């Protein structure tokens, strides 16, 4: 073993180096960084390379990290959802405590311990620490009912486990009088009441009179955090319970999107929480892994943990009608053992109920549970996010296109592409950008950059496109580009697709830009001038239509194809091409389009058959997106490398076609708006209709609309149902749509929802739409309105049948319908 490091400066340098490198490495191998930091702690700790001792400083920082984690979890907890799902939180907490608590009692002969020790083992495995919560937060599912139940269950399980510890400790010490327990419970109840009632008042007073002073606000939160944790410990409770209660008390005063929350998360994720994970890993003694007795005991504890927590998660899933993915998510959140587990174990050791083999077995249990829990949350968290309602469209923002121009890149093709993507009538200029490095040659670099930008401006002027050239001095291209993106409020970045400047550890410039920005990115490798391409071949991976910016992507892609007068061939992987075709048909402008469903196996051969005149467009997403998949990354990397693989066993060939990868923007999930078709107004929506025929329902709508002209009502009904030359009723999977062109001054749109059934011929649906257009309007306009209504009904799916009012349409996130 090596000699431990005692120099405090070098200790911090080593720790921060671990926090830098390990998450990058584990991201490359697709494992949560939490696991990497725990393994790194085992490696550099006293039982590994012995570079760091788990001394008082490491323990202090680890404790701070755990308390910080519990505090932030309380701040981020969806209180409305917690109150709404309080039954599920309490139920899951009791179940995930009871099953692991009772199982050891059935296995007493295997432990060869006293009853008190066996009960304490139940308390060990019953508790859990939500170290996988940052993963759920990153995936945007922190407010999912399953996460809310799991976080609420943490408070229940840890409180009950520590209560069992207190009872056993008092029993061993002989302090088990009724008076003792009455006083203890009274103090705990008074503490909870004081924190939850007093801290919000104190917080409101402080933020009202201190004002916008970031340092003072942050110091106030930390004071409350550690003060409340200390008081909880003084009352013979657990400090992490105090930290979690403090977060709950101040929850409404620190919004998720506030600058103060951003500071809390930044400091915690970059410093305090990594130290906690590092300190947990340093508990692992690699040498004990050679002892069969320790492995046997650790295996028995692991079985109890998995069976107990699994039963609780499964039963809670069935009781509250959660999906299987949500059940696994609750299991992943409740598996990791850390703080409370160690507290119970070491107290049991101090009072003589456990020996050193139990401590080593528990450390192994902590290691295994901290590996499995985050993996389950990472795996099933994406599925849970995709099961949720589709996110809404983002609010309209100015379209501003940035074009980074490198020294070795031809700027003209990128400028032409950006001009094609620019919205018609946009008053915004294009922003060509040159980034120069800050070194001794900066002056000459700036002069060269200005010359390149001058050529770019002249080229854009020839197409009557305004430009605003930018020069940024930065340490590298990515930093300079990000600075320009933020300063100019850029919505789209159009950049060259590089294949020879890739760093395995830090990723390519494109990967770094995607990881650090939320805007739309177009990465292009144009083997020919953009206007010479004869066809656009669009590749849509599975779940593409679940992305929040899906409709904006459709608009941009159709605009590009329309301006280049190219037909659009869509290759839809594994999902329904007809559904995607309807989405595209509902968005302007019009293009010649055809969509086909292909498998992953067929896709390679289709790509290999593309010609040099084809523009291959891949609709991709960032790795942090819920719709990302490993298969998508493999496809993307194959296209970027310039090689594709057709049928099995064929030789890779260089791609002759041009490539354009579209990375959709990642909008703020809190910025949501529902866009109901403009022609659909409140007085033309009828909700909660009992079971009836479609004819009866439409007749009631028309009688209400044409009160003054009843003859128009009968004429319209005849046109809809009795005229063989009129329009037929469209039967969609989600709804009926009746439509006609009649003698009215403006377009009218109606909607009917029924929790029962609407009948038409032999079909039944729960939703029906009606579109009436002026007979004098062009037929194309009628078809556009019909497509908008159909798109709206499709995206809403079966959720409309539960709407009770017109306002419910705005409370259900949907994609905006184009007209």
């Amino acid at each position: 073993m090596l000699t431990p490091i005692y120099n405090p400066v070098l200790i911090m340098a080593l720790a921060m180096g671990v926090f830098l490198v390990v998450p990058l490495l584990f991201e490359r191998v697709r494992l949560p960084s939490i696991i990497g930091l725990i393994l790194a702690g085992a490696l550099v700790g006293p039982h590994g390379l012995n570079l760091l001792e788990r001394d008082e400083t490491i323990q202090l920082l680890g404790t701070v990290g755990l308390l910080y984690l519990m505090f932030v979890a309380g701040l981020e907890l969806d209180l409305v959802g917690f109150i709404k799902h309080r039954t599920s939180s309490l139920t899951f907490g009791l179940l995930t405590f009871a099953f692991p608590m009772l199982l050891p009692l059935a296995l007493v002969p295997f432990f060869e311990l006293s009853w008190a020790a066996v009960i304490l083992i139940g308390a060990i495995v019953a508790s859990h620490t939500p170290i996988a919560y940052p993963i759920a937060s990153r995936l945007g599912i922190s407010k999912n009912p399953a996460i809310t139940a799991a976080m609420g269950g943490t408070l229940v399980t840890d409180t009950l486990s520590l209560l069992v510890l207190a009872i056993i400790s008092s029993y061993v010490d002989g302090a088990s009088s009724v008076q003792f327990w009455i006083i203890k419970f009274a103090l705990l109840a008074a503490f909870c009441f004081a924190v939850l009632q007093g801290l919000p008042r104190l917080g409101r007073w402080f933020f009202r009179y201190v004002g916008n002073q970031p340092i003072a606000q942050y110091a106030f939160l930390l004071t409350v955090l550690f003060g409340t944790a200390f008081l909880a410990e003084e009352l013979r409770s657990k400090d992490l319970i105090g930290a979690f209660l403090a977060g709950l008390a101040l929850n409404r005063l620190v919004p998720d999107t506030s600058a103060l929350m951003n500071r809390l998360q930044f400091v915690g994720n970059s410093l305090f929480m990594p130290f906690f994970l590092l300190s947990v890993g340093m508990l692992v003694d690699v040498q004990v892994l050679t002892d069969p007795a320790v492995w046997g005991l650790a295996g028995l504890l692991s079985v109890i943990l998995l069976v107990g927590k699994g039963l609780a998660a499964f039963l809670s899933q069935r009781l509250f009608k959660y999906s299987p993915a949500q059940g696994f998510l609750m299991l992943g959140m409740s598996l990791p053992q850390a703080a409370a587990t160690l507290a119970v174990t070491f107290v049991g050791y101090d009072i003589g109920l456990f020996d050193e083999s139990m401590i080593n077995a528990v450390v192994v249990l902590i290691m295994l549970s901290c590996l499995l829990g985050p993996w389950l949350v990472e795996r099933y968290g994406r599925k849970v996010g995709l099961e949720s309602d589709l996110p809404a469209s983002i609010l309209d923002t100015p379209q501003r296109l940035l074009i980074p121009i490198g020294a070795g890149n031809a700027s003209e093709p990128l400028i032409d592409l950006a001009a094609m993507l620019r919205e018609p009538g946009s008053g915004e200029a294009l922003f060509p950008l040159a980034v120069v490095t800050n070194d001794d040659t900066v002056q000459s670099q700036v002069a060269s950059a200005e010359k390149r930008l001058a050529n770019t401006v002249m080229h854009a002027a020839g197409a009557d496109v305004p430009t605003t050239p930018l020069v940024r001095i930065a340490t590298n291209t990515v930093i300079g580009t990000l600075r320009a993106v933020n300063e100019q409020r850029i919505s789209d970045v159009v950049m060259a697709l590089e294949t020879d400047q890739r760093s395995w550890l830090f990723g390519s410039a494109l990967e770094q830009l995607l990881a650090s920005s939320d805007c739309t990115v177009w990465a292009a490798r144009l083997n020919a001038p953009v206007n010479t391409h004869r066809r656009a071949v669009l590749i849509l991976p599975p779940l593409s239509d679940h992305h929040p910016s899906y409709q904006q992507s459709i608009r941009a892609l159709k605009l590009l194809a329309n301006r280049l007068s190219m037909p659009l061939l869509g290759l839809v992987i594994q999902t329904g091409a007809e559904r995607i075709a309807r989405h595209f048909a509902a968005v302007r402008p019009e293009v010649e389009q055809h969509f086909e469903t292909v498998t992953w196996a067929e896709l390679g051969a289709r790509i290999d058959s593309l010609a040099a005149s084809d523009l291959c467009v891949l609709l991709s997403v960032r790795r942090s997106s819920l719709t990302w998949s490993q298969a998508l990354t493999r496809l993307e990397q194959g296209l970027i490398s310039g090689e594709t693989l057709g049928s099995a066993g064929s030789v890779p060939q260089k791609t002759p076609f041009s490539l354009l990868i579209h990375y959709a923007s990642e909008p703020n999930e809190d910025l949501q708006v529902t866009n109901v078709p403009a022609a659909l107004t409140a007085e033309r929506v009828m909700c909660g209709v009992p079971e009836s025929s479609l004819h009866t329902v439409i007749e009631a709508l028309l009688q209400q609309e044409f009160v003054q002209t009843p003859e128009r009502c009968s004429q319209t009904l005849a046109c809809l149902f009795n005229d063989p030359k009129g329009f037929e009723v469209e039967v969609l999977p989600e709804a009926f749509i009746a439509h006609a062109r009649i003698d009215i001054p403006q377009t009218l749109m109606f909607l009917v929802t029924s929790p029962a059934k609407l009948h038409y011929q032999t079909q039944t649906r729960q939703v029906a739409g009606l579109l009436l257009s002026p007979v004098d309007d062009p037929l194309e306009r009628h078809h556009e309105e019909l497509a908008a209504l159909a798109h709206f009904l499709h995206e809403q799916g079966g959720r409309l049948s539960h709407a009770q009012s017109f306002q419910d349409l705005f409370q259900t996130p949907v994609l905006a319908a184009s007209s």
Side-chain angles (χ1 to χ4, degrees):
M1 274 197 185
L2 301 175
T3 303
I5 299 172
Y6 295 103
N7 187 306
V9 177
L10 186 56
I11 290 175
M12 283 301 298
L14 177 61
M16 298 310 296
V18 168
F19 302 160
L20 168 66
V21 175
V22 169
L24 290 172
L25 289 175
F26 272 69
E27 182 180 348
R28 287 294 167 190
V29 296
R30 308 291 179 263
L31 287 175
S33 59
I34 290 175
I35 299 176
L37 291 173
I38 294 174
L39 292 176
L43 179 64
V44 302
H47 305 298
L49 298 177
N50 197 30
L51 294 177
L52 296 178
E53 285 187 339
R54 197 173 188 274
D55 55 13
E56 293 181 356
T57 302
I58 297 295
Q59 294 181 42
L60 169 65
L61 293 173
T63 302
V64 169
L66 174 59
L67 295 179
Y68 205 97
L69 171 64
M70 296 300 297
F71 181 66
V72 172
L75 288 175
E76 291 186 340
L77 188 68
D78 182 11
L79 280 184
V80 176
F82 181 77
I83 295 172
K84 179 180 178 181
H85 302 286
R86 59 184 179 275
T87 303
S88 59
S89 297
L90 293 174
T91 302
F92 176 68
L94 292 173
L95 290 176
T96 198
F97 172 81
F99 283 119
M101 187 73 198
L102 296 175
L103 282 176
L105 298 179
L107 301 174
V108 171
F110 293 94
F111 288 108
E112 299 180 355
L113 297 172
S114 64
W115 281 96
V118 172
I119 293 175
L120 210 55
I121 288 175
I124 289 174
V125 294
S127 65
H128 62 262
T129 303
I131 67 169
Y133 179 80
I135 298 176
S137 180
R138 172 173 57 83
L139 292 175
I141 57 173
S142 59
K143 298 184 185 302
N144 187 275
I147 296 295
T148 302
M151 292 304 299
T154 301
L155 186 61
V156 175
T157 56
D158 287 358
T159 301
L160 293 178
S161 295
L162 297 172
L163 181 61
V164 170
L165 173 63
I167 293 174
I168 296 298
S169 300
S170 301
Y171 175 78
V172 173
D173 295 338
S176 57
S177 64
V178 175
Q179 182 181 5
F180 171 81
W181 293 112
I182 292 176
I183 295 175
K184 185 176 182 64
F185 285 126
L187 287 175
L188 184 60
F191 172 71
C192 293
F193 179 82
V195 169
L196 296 177
Q197 295 296 320
L199 280 185
R201 293 181 172 85
L202 176 63
R204 280 191 292 270
W205 172 85
F206 179 84
F207 287 115
R208 184 181 301 116
Y209 288 100
V210 168
N212 188 22
Q213 299 184 31
I215 297 178
Q217 292 176 349
Y218 188 79
F220 170 75
L221 292 182
L222 292 190
T223 302
V224 170
L225 160 61
F226 296 113
T228 308
F230 172 75
L231 290 177
E233 202 168 37
E234 286 297 300
L235 294 174
R236 304 248 179 138
S237 184
K238 190 61 182 170
D239 50 8
L240 60 89
I241 295 177
F244 187 72
L245 285 174
L248 283 178
L250 299 178
N251 182 284
R252 299 184 186 274
L253 299 176
V254 187
D256 289 346
T257 57
S258 65
L260 184 56
M261 177 62 82
N262 183 60
R263 296 186 191 100
L264 280 166
Q265 292 174 334
F266 174 79
V267 176
N269 293 334
S270 60
L271 185 64
F272 291 138
M273 296 180 194
F275 264 114
F276 163 63
L277 298 172
L278 192 74
S279 67
V280 171
M282 293 173 70
L283 290 170
V284 177
D285 187 354
V286 181
Q287 296 179 356
V288 306
L289 300 181
T290 60
D291 187 353
V294 171
W295 273 106
L297 188 55
L300 187 58
L301 293 177
S302 299
V303 170
I304 294 173
L305 177 67
L306 283 172
V307 173
K309 299 291 185 180
L311 287 173
F314 175 76
L315 187 56
S316 298
Q317 173 207 328
R318 299 300 295 264
L319 284 174
F320 300 106
K321 296 181 172 58
Y322 292 159
S323 67
Q326 286 178 300
F328 280 107
L329 188 61
M330 295 173 71
L331 175 61
M333 289 292 295
S334 60
L335 273 181
Q337 307 288 295
T341 302
L342 290 174
V344 175
T345 303
F346 282 117
V347 171
Y349 177 78
D350 290 338
I351 62 179
L353 294 178
F354 299 147
D355 55 15
E356 292 183 356
S357 62
M358 177 61 72
I359 294 179
N360 291 329
V362 169
V363 171
V364 174
L365 174 69
I366 291 173
M367 186 67 182
L368 295 175
S369 64
C370 288
L371 290 173
L372 182 58
W375 180 81
L376 287 173
V377 174
E378 180 81 29
R379 177 180 177 85
Y380 290 97
R382 295 182 182 274
K383 295 183 178 181
V384 167
L386 292 172
E387 289 171 351
S388 305
D389 291 337
L390 293 180
S393 305
I394 62 171
L395 295 173
D396 291 335
T397 56
Q399 186 197 39
R400 295 182 177 177
L401 293 101
L402 181 75
I403 306 97
I405 306 298
N409 296 330
S411 60
E412 291 80 4
L414 294 178
I415 292 294
D416 292 339
L417 177 60
M420 295 293 177
L421 295 170
R422 187 167 174 261
E423 281 286 345
S426 173
E428 299 290 340
L430 301 182
F431 292 85
L433 168 70
V435 179
V436 299
T437 55
N438 189 8
D439 56 22
D440 296 336
T441 63
V442 64
Q443 295 297 329
S444 61
Q445 290 186 68
V446 171
S448 177
E450 290 176 345
K451 183 177 180 180
R452 294 198 307 272
L453 291 176
N455 295 332
T456 299
V457 171
M458 293 297 295
H459 180 78
D464 197 22
V465 177
T467 57
T468 302
L470 304 173
V471 177
R472 292 293 180 269
I473 301 174
T475 53
N476 60 50
T477 303
V478 176
I479 293 177
T481 303
L482 290 172
R483 187 180 302 168
V485 167
N486 294 326
E487 291 173 355
Q488 303 297 330
R489 295 192 300 127
I490 297 298
S491 63
D492 298 65
V493 175
V494 181
M495 62 185 297
L497 188 57
E498 302 286 350
T499 59
D500 57 349
Q501 296 181 359
R502 179 179 179 83
S503 168
W504 183 84
L505 181 60
F506 298 101
S508 65
L510 174 61
E511 290 174 329
Q512 295 178 52
L513 177 63
L514 292 172
S516 304
S517 70
D518 295 327
C519 61
T520 300
V521 176
W522 302 84
R525 184 179 67 225
L526 300 175
N527 296 337
V530 65
N531 60 331
T532 63
H533 295 92
R534 301 180 61 181
R535 181 179 63 166
V537 180
L538 176 61
I539 302 175
L540 294 101
L543 306 176
S544 295
D545 54 339
H546 283 68
H547 196 276
S549 298
Y550 173 58
Q551 192 182 37
Q552 285 84 345
S553 300
I554 294 177
R555 164 66 179 173
L557 293 169
K558 291 192 67 175
L559 183 64
L560 178 63
N562 178 268
R563 283 179 165 169
L564 294 174
S565 301
M566 296 187 302
L568 183 63
L569 171 62
L571 302 179
V572 185
I573 305 175
Q574 293 182 343
T575 56
E578 294 181 358
R579 185 182 74 253
I580 301 297
R582 289 198 301 269
H583 296 171
F584 274 71
V587 178
R588 285 177 163 180
E590 295 297 327
V591 299
E592 180 183 347
Q593 64 178 43
H594 175 69
F595 289 84
E596 301 175 10
T597 302
V598 298
T599 64
W600 284 106
E602 296 169 344
L603 180 63
R606 297 297 298 270
I607 293 176
D608 285 347
S609 67
L610 298 182
S613 59
D614 289 330
L615 175 62
C616 180
V617 184
L618 173 63
L619 191 61
S620 188
V621 295
R622 291 164 169 80
R623 292 181 184 274
S624 59
S625 173
L626 287 169
T627 58
W628 173 85
S629 67
Q630 185 63 48
L632 173 59
T633 295
R634 288 194 297 267
L635 171 61
E636 182 182 310
Q637 291 174 349
L639 291 171
I640 292 176
S641 66
E643 296 181 350
T644 59
L645 187 63
S647 58
S650 65
V651 179
Q653 302 175 356
K654 290 292 181 180
T655 56
F657 52 83
S658 296
L659 175 64
L660 179 62
I661 303 180
H662 168 72
Y663 298 90
S665 63
E666 295 287 344
N668 189 328
E669 64 180 3
D670 295 324
L671 190 60
Q672 295 185 349
V673 59
T674 300
N675 194 347
V676 177
L680 186 62
T681 57
E683 63 271 15
R684 298 189 181 102
V685 174
M686 186 182 296
C687 298
V689 175
E691 183 173 352
S692 58
S693 68
L694 180 63
H695 186 283
T696 302
V697 170
I698 290 182
E699 183 177 9
L701 286 173
L702 296 177
Q703 288 175 349
Q704 179 178 309
E705 179 69 27
F706 302 126
V707 176
Q708 305 298 329
T709 56
E711 66 280 359
R712 182 169 292 174
C713 173
S714 58
Q715 292 171 0
T716 305
L717 280 173
C719 182
L720 288 170
F721 294 101
N722 301 327
D723 185 0
K725 297 181 180 179
F727 294 89
E728 296 181 356
V729 174
E730 307 288 344
V731 181
L732 303 182
E734 303 84 9
F736 296 127
I737 295 183
H739 59 107
R741 301 172 71 208
I742 61 175
D743 186 17
I744 53 176
Q746 64 181 8
T747 299
L748 302 177
M749 193 177 291
F750 304 82
L751 181 69
V752 179
T753 68
S754 171
K757 291 179 181 179
L758 303 174
H759 300 271
Y760 174 70
Q761 295 179 353
T762 61
Q763 302 286 333
T764 60
R765 296 291 186 272
Q766 293 179 292
V767 179
L770 171 62
L771 172 65
L772 301 177
S773 300
V775 70
D776 296 333
D777 277 3
L779 183 60
E780 291 77 8
R781 179 62 180 171
H782 177 83
H783 288 160
E784 290 174 1
E785 294 288 355
L786 184 63
L789 178 60
H791 183 71
F792 171 70
L793 296 177
H794 168 74
E795 296 299 343
Q796 284 280 12
R799 296 191 294 271
L800 279 177
S801 61
H802 304 293
Q804 298 298 316
S805 67
F806 180 71
Q807 294 301 321
D808 288 349
L809 306 184
F810 293 91
Q811 295 171 0
T812 305
V814 295
L815 291 173
S818 289
S819 58

